[in-house]
Every structure is written in C-alpha cells, then in structure tokens.
Amino acid sequence: MAVPARTCGASWPGPVRTARPWPGRGPRPCPDPRGPASGPARPLLLLLPPLLLLPLLAAPGASAYSFPQQHTMQHWARRLEQEIDGVMRIFGGVQQLREIYKDNRNLFEVQENEPQKLVEKVAGDIENLLDRKVQALKRLADAAENFQKAHRWQDNIKEEDIVYYDAKADAELDDPESEDTERGSKTSTLRLDFIEDPNFKNKVNYSYTAVQIPTDIYKGSTVILNELNWTEALENVFIENRRQDPTLLWQVFGSATGVTRYYPATPWRAPKKIDLYDVRRRPWYIQGASSPKDMVIIVDVSGSVSGLTLKLMKTSVCEMLDTLSDDDYVNVASFNEKAQPVSCFTHLVQANVRNKKVFKEAVQGMVAKGTTGYKAGFEYAFDQLQNSNITRANCNKMIMMFTDGGEDRVQDVFEKYNWPNRTVRVFTFSVGQHNYDVTPLQWMACTNKGYYFEIPSIGAIRINTQEYLDVLGRPMVLAGKDAKQVQWTNVYEDALGLGLVVTGTLPVFNLTQDGPGEKKNQLILGVMGIDVALNDIKRLTPNYTLGANGYVFAIDLNGYVLLHPNLKPQTTNFREPVTLDFLDAELENENKEEIRRSMIDGDKGHKQIRTLVKSLDERYIDEVIRNYTWVPIRSTNYSLGLVLPPYSTYYLQANLSDQILQVKYFEFLLPSSFESEGHVFIAPREYCKDLNASDNNTEFLKNFIELMEKVTPDSKQCNNFLLHNLILDTGITQQLVERVWRDQDLNTYSLLAVFAATDGGITRVFPNKAAEDWTENPEPFNASFYRRSLDNRGYIFKPPHQDSLLRPLELENDTVGVLVSTAVELSLGRRTLRPAVVGVKLDLEAWAEKFKVLASNRTHQDQPQKCGPSSHCEMDCEVNNEDLLCVLIDDGGFLVLSNQNHQWDQVGRFFSEVDANLMLALYNNSFYTRKESYDYQAACAPQPPGNLGAAPRGVFVPTIADFLNLAWWTSAAAWSLFQQLLYGLIYHSWFQADPAEAEGSPETRESSCVMKQTQYYFGSVNASYNAIIDCGNCSRLFHAQRLTNTNLLFVVAEKPLCSQCEAGRLLQKETHSDGPEQCELVQRPRYRRGPHICFDYNATEDTSDCGRGASFPPSLGVLVSLQLLLLLGLPPRPQPQVHSFAASRRL
C-alpha cells in the first residue's frame, strides 16, 4: 500500500483516504509554496495527447482510485440518456398526444402558410393603409397653400385679435415663473374640455386644434400672430379628414416660423425642465423640408477664437448636427493655418445617431491656437465634397463655416472649386461678440448661393443653425408639383405619447407673389405630417398562424427596421429617430446581407438560409433553418419580409361546430376543474373586443370566463380563429391528463410537475399545486422553453435563471425545479407541423442525487461500490465526490446538475462562475463557441452629474478683478457673458443638462445605451472527448461528452487541488459598451439607398437674399441694469428674437 501524499492547502475531512495517483509518478505532489523553483523540465508526459494518457492512469504500482476510463464514462452517459428518455416517454406523453390529435382529426383542419401570397397580401394592406393617409396629406397641403395665398398680411395685428388653444397654456399658468404669467398674457387662449381616447393614449378634443410655440420664440411677434391667423382655417380641414377616415391619428402642420398646429387638440406634454421642443428640428420636418445633404462643417480654431467664443462654436456645431437625418452625410473639420478632421472620420459619413455622437464628443476637444487660414479650411471642405469614391447623399452640397471673423475672401478658392456653376452652397456664421468687419463673410455666402448668420450669444444658436433649411427649400418650392411627393420617415417616438410612429410628410409652399409679373416666392411655408402608429401596421400582419418563431418584418432604404419582433427600444429620445438596422435586429450573416440589399433595391425574393438566433431570454443561441420571403410595399420606401421555420409551413385551424363539445371543453377552463385536471394558463391574447386585459393570468382568465358567459365563440366581436383553437387545445390537453398524467405517481421519478403548452394558447400544468411555482410566460409564443423546443430536436433542459449578482437559489421544500421539454411533431399525410410542447419539471435536489447514482459504479441499487485497500478502482461521481467533479451543463454553458452538494444552489449560473478553469478548457477545446453582438436598444441608469457646486457648464466665470475693472464692464466679453447668463436663466438646461434630458418626458429616468451581449452554444465537437488542463503540478484531467437527444454536456473532471493556474474567466452577462469601433465601421458602410428624388438646383432661384449683419453695440446702462437684475435674482423675460429671416417671413 502506497503512503498517502500530503494534500494541498489542508487535510481532507473524514476518514483517511489514499491520495489520487498522478499518471506515472505516484500521488500528485503539492506545488512548492515558495513558488516555482529551477529544476528539470516538465515531464514529457503532460504533452502527450489525452487519449494516450488514459492507459497510464492505472499504472503499475498505483493503488486505490484512479480517474475513470473513457468507456466507463461513456457507460454513465448512456445510463443518463436512458433515464431521461424513459421519464420523458412515460410522463411527457409525446406519443400519446400525437394519438390524441389523430383521434380528434375531425375537429380541426390543416391550413398552409403560402409565403409569397401572405407577404403580398400584407404589403397590399399596408399600402392601402398608408395611401389613405397620403390622400389626407394632399388635401391638407393644398388647403394650406390656398389659405396662405388668400391671407392678407397685417402689420398692426395684436395678440388680443387671435383666439386659439395654446397647448402649453395650462402648464404655464401652473408655473409662476413662466413668461406669460410674468407679463400677463394678452392672447385670448381657449380653455377646452378633453376626453380620454385610447387610440391617442391621451385626452383629446375633436372640435379644436392645438398650437405649440417654442419657448425661445416670442408669441406676440407680428410674424407669429399672422401665422396663427391664417393657419386657423386648417382646423376645418383636419376635422373633415377625420370624418372621412376615423382611423387618422395626429395631423400636424409644422411651420417654418416654428409654430406647430396639430389636431385633435390635447395639452402639451410639459417636461420637468425647460421645453426646448421645436418642430423644425424634428426628424419628420427635416426630411420633408429639404432634399438629402452632403455637408462639411469647418470651424475656425485660430488663436483669436478663445474662451466663450470657442464654446459657442462647439455648441453651434452640435446643434447643427442635430438638423441632419440619416439621409444626410457630414464631416467636421477644424482649421487655422491647416485644416484637419476633428474626429477619426477622414471623409463624409452618414449622419446617423452613432456617427453624430462621435462628432459631438470630438468637437469638445477643439483647442484654439495659430492664425486664421480660410483657404486651408475651404480647400479641405471642397476636397471632401469632390470625393466620389465614397457613399454619400449626392444631392445638396454645402459648406458651413463658423468663425469669429477675418479679412480674407478666398476668391481664388471659389474660382477653382465652385465657380461658375456654384454647385456647393456656402453658409457662414459669425460667432461671438467682436468688432471684425463681417463683409467678407457676407460676400462668401452671397456669391455661393448661401446665407450669412450671426451668433452673438447662446440664445441665437438654435434658431440660426436651422434657418439654412429655408435656403435649401428654395429649389423644392420652385419645382412646384414635381416636388410635391409624400415621403415616409424612419421610426421615431411621438412627442405626444403615441409611442413609436412613422410619419408621412408633404412640403407646403408659399404660392404668393410680391406683385404682378414678380418672381415666384421661394419660401417653404412648412411641412404637413400625418402619423401612423406602428401598432396599427402590426395589426395588418398575421399573428398566430405563423407559429411562435415565424414573424413579419419591414425595412426602409437605410436598412432600418420598421417592423420586427426585436424592435423593442427600452427607452426613447424623441429628438432622434429609432434606427435599428435589420442586421443588428438579428444575428448578422452573409445571407442576411444579401436579403437586406435586395429589399432595399425594391426586389422580390425568397431564400432558405441556415442562421443563428437568440433565445427570447437572450441566454442561448440556436442554429436553425429559416425561409425568408420579401416584396416591396408599393408607393413607399419600405419593403416587407416574412420569416418562417420549415415546421410552420402548416398550422391547425379548429373547427368546433358542435356547440355541445364547445361547452364540454370550455368547462375544463373553469377553476373548479383544476384540482383534477391540472391548472390552466391561457395566453393573454385579444380574443374579443370587450375582453379586459390583465397582467395577472388568474384575473385575465376570470375576465375571459365572464365574457364567454355573455357571448359565443362564433360572435362577430370575437376572433373566432383564436377562440376555437383555444377551446380545442383545452380539450386536447385535458385528454392528455386523462390518458397519461392522472394515473402516474410523479414522486416515483422525483418530478414536481408535468406540463403541456400549445399554439392555441393553452399551458396546462399538472398537478394543480405545481402552478404556484410556475414562472413561465403564460403566452407560449413568448416563453423561451416553448420557442427553443420547437427549434431543437430532443429534450431541452432549462435550469432556473440565476443572475450572478443575486443570492443563490433557495432549496427549501423541494420547490426548485429544472424544466425539460420537447416539441410534439405531428405528421398528417405529407404535412408536418409542431402544434405543442410537452415536458416535466425535475425536482432539483432529488435529481442531483439520482445523477450521482447514474454516474457511479454501483452494481446494485442500494450498494455503492467500495474499493478495498489492496484493490484498484476507478473513481465515480458518487463515492469520490470529494475528488471528482461531475456536472451536466446545458448548451448555453449554464449549470444544470452537479454531484457537489455545495453547487446545487448555483444551478442556473453560467458555469464559468462555478469553475472558471474548467469552462475555459471546454471553450478552448471547441465544446463551446462564443457569439458576441450588440444591443443598441438597452437602457442604462443616468450618470450622476459631476462638478457639483461648480459654475454652469460652458460659462465663463470672471474674477473679482474683472468685476472691479471698468474696462471689463464695457468690453464685448462682459456683454456676451451677460447675454449668456440671461439666456442661461431661461434656458438653464443648456448649461446644466443635455438637451435630450431637458426635452424628455417627466417619466424619463434612464437613457439609451449600447450593451455587449455574449452567448455560448455547442461547438463542432460532438463525440466523447478526453483532455488535460495543462498547468504543471496543478493540471487536471477531464472528460466531456454530449448526451444524445438532449442539449446537455456531461463533464467529469478532477477537482482542482490548487489555484496556482487560475485562468481568465469567461463572461456571459451583458456589459456596457461603446459598441463596435465607429472609425472602422465607416470604412465598410452597410449598403443603403437615399430617396429617389433630389431638388438642389433651379435656374430661376433668386440668391440675392443671403443674410445681413445686425449690430447691437453694448450699452453701459443696459449692462448695469442687467447686472442689478441678476444680483436681485429677478430673471428678465426673453426679448423677441430678431433674426435675418424675419422680414422674409411676411405671409
């Protein structure tokens, strides 16, 4: 008998046992606690292939237990497979349920999903829905143009002359610091009564329109009052549109003056902070007001641009970026003597949300130094616009230059790049308070079909960074009817609470002429829009005939999804569209790239592909076969697709014409039958119009039963297909109870429950008491076990979900169970379908004990094998559980069963959290493959604000010496500071919060973010495999084998004796991420197409209106007055905005 070796770290508890023999070397020695010492090289034995090691495990001279041989572990695996299969055959009732369906063959018909016909019908229905909205849009646009043309401009119009409903009036009356409260509003504001309308998710008044005016626009200005005057006539058109089409939702006119008039009237959703909503910055308005843009923004960062002026420029650039949509392309560069991009983008990139974020962050890093070199800036911009080797908008081309002033006109640059055709418009922005001559800046804009703007302070930024759209609208107006084309937007969040919508837009033109024979007016009046809720479009798609894993989706020309089951933004910012690419909504592969391209090109197609899909709970990856079929939606920029698994080609349609049978089956839904027939959960579907929904399934079932006592399944107010299938499946699952479950003793096989779930919406759990611990979704189509069972053959194990941050499972009263489920495949003639899933719920603790017995060397049920002192034995999972680790891990890498009692409460955790060393070895040996992807719809907790107690962000703070210096008081810096502080009191969110937060709803608590997801799934290894975790004296042997007809991996390994070779831990949980590197992504942009129309040139355009400077010299008296007001804490009210387009806006 060999002398036992010292174990590492501590002595083994319990009786003395013989140490494990180390192959060829006797018992395994402990590592030297002083660390590795120099000596002979590691034995060559460790480098041998694992299969050659196995004969050495029982080397001569070794005694007691050795690591089990491969054939032994294969034997254990077969026993486990047989036990699982036997239990499922007895209790699952797969074969019996097949027979029940066949016995009831006269009660249902088998219908076929014909993909091409289905997708064409749905596309036609969507086209008809949108066409009705288009007709309403055209009526509104025509009426608006006629009303404005007939309107007579009034110079002396007064506030009291105008009567309208101010959507923000109620909120302003409640706010003692509001503008109107302070000065006493002279406007005759209507007070309306409202009724709740579920279609709008809001209280509305159908007799009036509502008006919203941005906070930074003076309501009493002549331009605004005239706008309110003539748009009042739109009210009757709105009402008539609704009479013709009662399904219409918001009808909106967004004026180029900033006024929004919408119908029906509803109070404005006032945010907690200042309301910065301006219709001209909404995605739908921007898209409707101009054609796509290629824009290069150049920023003067010479030494004269410092302090407050540079901060104004940074804010201006960010606001300018917000006027761009996904149809536009942009780049931003800074210049002094040289020009260089502010970010990693070296060419024009799509102005999507993520690219604009890169620009905004990069702009903050701009530093002023050097001398001004306009030539360098403009040459860089023209080179960018002339680069034809990249994807771009290929429509409006423009350069936006921000500077504090200069003398150079760079005429030679314009002659070289832009004259005589002047295909690139130049917009110049004089930023900050200074005494420079602005004539060169005006000249640049006027000679290049652009416009000159001044931004003296922060209050002028928003309005002057969006007015350029009026200039771009000129060719559209001059094009007349050719430009009157309806465009449909990306998905975005409705500002009035309707949820996700798309909007049809139509530009409204000014048809007036200044006099007989005068040139046609070039101004765009605004954009007309009509919303369509995504839910209304979804209702046109088939829901339950496609099965749990079939679905309809739609994309636009950018490849962004309009419809998709994975379009689920956790939080939305209504300043930006919801842009989820089809390849991000699903797991990307080459086949899907081809499908996406074909759909964007407006083609029809069909393709069967093998692809990866995430489980509903995002813990698993399955490799599946899917059939994709797609067609364009005519008269729109959208394309519709249908996805079907092969097993969803057919579906069952109940035919319960026998009312007596209906009543009989219906009785099995009554709670009084649950004790004998098992508890029934019904899917919370829209069975009837008057059915009250509830998140509590017991209450929902009660509501359902009460309604069914009043109506029949054939009632016109009910969905007969859903009701008949529900009642049929109630009867069929009851017969399963009667034939299989009722006479079986679940305790014999340590089962907590048996269950069946069906396409018809029934989940029956037996016995009734097991329903108390049932946590699966009552809608089978939304239950992960159901969908995965359909996609995978064999038995699918699902351990309870455990978060690594939560406490371990409570193993009290044997209530913790592991689900095992399998699909019921039904063959009727040559038609195959899977209408149900059946399964059992294993008692975790009892099956852990059973697992140890099945993976042991027992020859009799109650007699564990004992190894004599002089005999040689192989270790097993029962007797040697202190030396041998035996586990079952599912295909996602989550622990299902273990022979280690202390690991039972870790069942359901990712195995790397249990044994990181072993999980890494399984991954490195290809038992598992990793899939990483990004969730662009996640919600994250807001970051706490930094620098608490410091000055507002972006504000120049003067020193005491400055305040005592009279010269400082009369300087431009002081004047600019007072303007900034003045606007800061009103628009405090500009300094203290992100604009998105300021405009967000009061309920907003989280912000959208990107999360990196990592899932694991079975790799290419499908056979029995032996290996060694090579770690010197701490090495471990392990064996792994897939269990046939299951999603389980059986692993047997030596327990680690030391932690000297702890490897890196594999992570499975979601982690916060910045997403893939944008600088690399733009080098290989995804395929897209822009709108097919472009209006960027008209020979008759009058470019003489190109902006003029307005000088407001500082006044010491005004400055002192403002300072006194600030010191006294009395916020002055905003003055009417004066900007260069005011005169042009005479209506």
Side-chain angles (χ1 to χ4, degrees), residues 707-811:
L707 183 62
M708 287 297 99
E709 292 173 349
K710 303 174 184 177
V711 301
T712 68
D714 299 312
S715 171
K716 292 183 179 180
Q717 66 159 299
C718 297
N719 185 318
N720 305 137
F721 170 81
L722 291 183
L723 270 180
H724 278 249
N725 277 31
L726 180 78
I727 295 173
L728 172 66
D729 286 355
T730 304
I732 284 179
T733 56
Q734 185 277 332
Q735 293 177 44
L736 183 63
V737 176
E738 190 174 302
R739 296 191 189 185
V740 182
W741 296 345
R742 190 181 294 157
D743 296 330
Q744 298 289 350
D745 182 7
L746 302 186
N747 292 329
T748 302
Y749 287 87
S750 305
L751 303 181
L752 298 175
V754 288
F755 60 90
T758 70
D759 278 359
I762 290 294
T763 302
R764 188 179 291 275
V765 179
F766 185 88
N768 183 39
K769 65 178 182 179
E772 297 174 4
D773 300 315
W774 187 258
T775 58
E776 303 301 318
N777 197 309
E779 169 57 80
F781 284 14
N782 291 337
S784 182
F785 82 87
Y786 192 85
R787 294 171 67 157
R788 294 203 69 215
S789 296
L790 294 176
D791 270 336
N792 295 277
R793 293 192 176 275
Y795 307 124
I796 304 303
F797 281 69
K798 180 179 178 289
H801 183 198
Q802 275 211 80
D803 192 305
S804 60
L805 300 178
L806 301 179
R807 64 180 183 179
L809 290 172
E810 299 286 348
L811 290 175

Side-chain angles (χ1 to χ4, degrees), residues 843-1047:
D843 182 326
L844 172 60
E845 192 169 356
W847 269 78
E849 292 292 349
K850 182 179 294 191
F851 168 57
K852 287 194 275 187
V853 173
L854 293 170
S856 73
N857 297 321
R858 282 199 192 197
T859 54
H860 300 285
Q861 180 69 26
D862 300 321
Q863 296 180 5
Q865 183 189 28
K866 300 293 184 182
C867 192
S870 59
S871 61
H872 171 77
C873 305
E874 294 180 8
M875 290 188 287
D876 68 27
C877 299
E878 181 184 25
V879 174
N880 307 99
N881 64 342
E882 292 181 346
D883 292 316
L884 204 62
L885 172 67
C886 304
V887 291
L888 290 178
I889 313 172
D890 69 15
D891 55 333
F894 298 97
L895 180 62
V896 176
L897 287 176
S898 172
N899 72 329
Q900 305 296 310
N901 293 17
H902 69 276
Q903 291 181 352
W904 292 354
D905 61 358
Q906 299 183 65
V907 165
R909 288 193 173 178
F910 186 56
F911 191 59
S912 186
E913 299 169 11
V914 181
D915 192 328
N917 190 256
L918 182 54
M919 183 63 194
L920 183 62
L922 294 172
Y923 172 72
N924 288 336
N925 285 279
S926 300
F927 282 101
Y928 286 96
T929 299
R930 179 166 55 195
K931 181 66 178 178
E932 294 179 339
S933 58
Y934 294 95
D935 177 8
Y936 294 101
Q937 306 177 88
C940 296
Q943 295 293 323
N947 300 323
L948 292 176
R953 184 176 64 197
V955 178
F956 167 70
V957 181
T959 64
I960 296 297
D962 290 326
F963 278 107
L964 298 177
N965 188 338
L966 183 60
W968 182 88
W969 280 91
T970 58
S971 69
W975 172 250
S976 183
L977 170 64
F978 280 125
Q979 281 193 311
Q980 187 170 3
L981 289 175
L982 177 61
Y983 281 105
L985 290 171
I986 304 164
Y987 308 111
H988 61 278
S989 59
W990 281 89
F991 299 99
Q992 297 174 346
D994 182 80
E997 179 187 354
E999 290 189 17
S1001 65
E1003 294 80 12
T1004 301
R1005 293 292 182 270
E1006 297 177 318
S1007 59
S1008 61
C1009 61
V1010 180
M1011 299 295 285
K1012 184 178 181 180
Q1013 294 184 340
T1014 305
Q1015 287 92 9
Y1016 293 81
Y1017 59 102
F1018 279 153
S1020 56
V1021 177
N1022 196 30
S1024 180
Y1025 190 86
N1026 298 274
I1028 186 169
I1029 303 174
D1030 189 356
C1031 189
N1033 291 333
C1034 294
S1035 297
R1036 300 169 65 188
L1037 292 167
F1038 76 90
H1039 167 92
Q1041 178 172 344
R1042 294 265 294 274
L1043 295 189
T1044 306
N1045 209 33
T1046 73
N1047 66 326

Side-chain angles (χ1 to χ4, degrees), residues 150-195:
H151 172 257
R152 295 185 61 182
W153 177 269
Q154 301 178 46
D155 284 319
N156 299 321
I157 193 169
K158 300 178 180 178
E159 288 187 68
E160 52 263 33
D161 298 334
I162 305 299
V163 178
Y164 67 99
Y165 172 65
D166 184 349
K168 297 195 292 185
D170 293 338
E172 288 174 347
L173 288 174
D174 294 338
D175 182 5
E177 297 182 1
S178 71
E179 173 189 336
D180 287 345
T181 304
E182 286 179 14
R183 69 168 183 261
S185 177
K186 299 177 182 179
T187 309
S188 300
T189 301
L190 296 171
R191 303 300 296 268
L192 304 180
D193 296 322
F194 301 95
I195 58 171

Side-chain angles (χ1 to χ4, degrees), residues 18 94 132 136 179 187 539 542 548 550 568 592 612 645 649 666 812 861 937 997 1000 1044 1081 1107 1120 1142:
T18 305
V94 174
R132 293 197 299 271
E179 173 189 336
T187 309
R539 291 189 185 100
K568 301 173 184 177
K592 290 180 183 177
L612 298 178
T649 302
F666 179 77
E812 296 180 5
Q861 180 69 26
Q937 306 177 88
E997 179 187 354
T1044 306
L1081 289 181
V1120 173

Side-chain angles (χ1 to χ4, degrees), residues 391-402:
T391 305
R392 55 183 186 175
N394 286 318
C395 193
N396 285 295
K397 298 178 179 63
M398 66 201 69
I399 299 171
M400 325 297 278
M401 183 180 73
F402 293 88

Side-chain angles (χ1 to χ4, degrees), residues 3 26 40 75 224 286 465 605 691 741 989 1017 1061 1084:
V3 178
H75 171 65
I224 298 300
I286 293 170
T465 53
L691 178 59
W741 296 345
S989 59
Y1017 59 102
C1061 296
R1084 50 181 192 282

Side-chain angles (χ1 to χ4, degrees), residues 329-347:
Y329 282 74
V330 65
N331 201 357
V332 181
S334 61
F335 69 91
N336 38 43
E337 301 93 341
K338 297 181 180 180
Q340 60 182 7
V342 299
S343 70
C344 57
F345 300 146
T346 58
H347 55 73

